[in-house]
Amino acid sequence: MDRLTEAERAEHLPQLEGWDLARDGAAIRKVYEFDDFVGAFGFMARVALLAEKADHHPEWSNVYNKVDITLTTHDADGLSMRDVELAQKIDAI
Amino acid sequence: MDRLTEAERAEHLPQLEGWDLARDGAAIRKVYEFDDFVGAFGFMARVALLAEKADHHPEWSNVYNKVDITLTTHDADGLSMRDVELAQKIDAI
């Protein structure tokens, strides 16, 4: 999996709503907030199934109603299309 | 929910296997490792159900096959029996 080129970053990253660059541009991050833990973990269960299906897994944490997700592609040592695609799928939940 | 007294800490905390003190003694923490993401998230789903039932929720993160759990009782500004009991239930999984 290739790391995104500058042109690809400029094309795809601005289209991701609410995702911010993290780790000096090597990752993207978004925090989701829900009404309660059931809302947060229900969301995590759906993300987990998407991630396993895509064989691309988030680095994430949860505190009660908040879910903090970071996406990066270790094999690419930065961002790849797998991150963009997983972010889009998560947002589509 | 009352914070554990020194006597209660001395009685209960040493019995928790693999849980270390964190946040200057205000929390306990344990890292679980599984074969893969399915193992890790399957465990998290079981913990989530226990936590919701106990109305006491972990602060936790997951990266692929690892699950890092911190327990503390905000209302007690430290550790309470709810943390001890949830840690025991998690270990019983």
Side-chain angles (χ1 to χ4, degrees), chain B residues 7-72:
Chain B
E8 289 167 334
R9 291 173 71 97
E11 178 184 352
H12 297 294
L13 299 185
Q15 294 183 35
L16 299 177
E17 267 184 52
W19 291 85
D20 295 317
L21 287 178
R23 299 182 192 173
D24 289 329
I28 50 175
R29 178 182 175 213
K30 185 170 179 177
V31 179
Y32 292 82
E33 191 164 337
F34 300 87
D35 287 343
D36 52 24
F37 179 76
V38 171
F41 197 80
F43 168 74
M44 290 177 75
R46 298 183 70 170
V47 172
L49 296 176
L50 288 177
E52 182 62 17
K53 191 169 180 180
D55 195 22
H56 190 54
H57 303 87
E59 300 181 19
W60 53 351
S61 63
N62 158 244
V63 179
Y64 194 57
N65 66 330
K66 292 194 179 70
V67 181
D68 187 331
I69 303 184
T70 295
L71 301 179
T72 187

Side-chain angles (χ1 to χ4, degrees), chain A residues 50-65:
Chain A
L50 288 177
E52 182 61 19
K53 190 169 181 181
D55 196 21
H56 189 55
H57 303 88
E59 300 180 19
W60 52 351
S61 63
N62 159 243
V63 179
Y64 194 57
N65 67 329

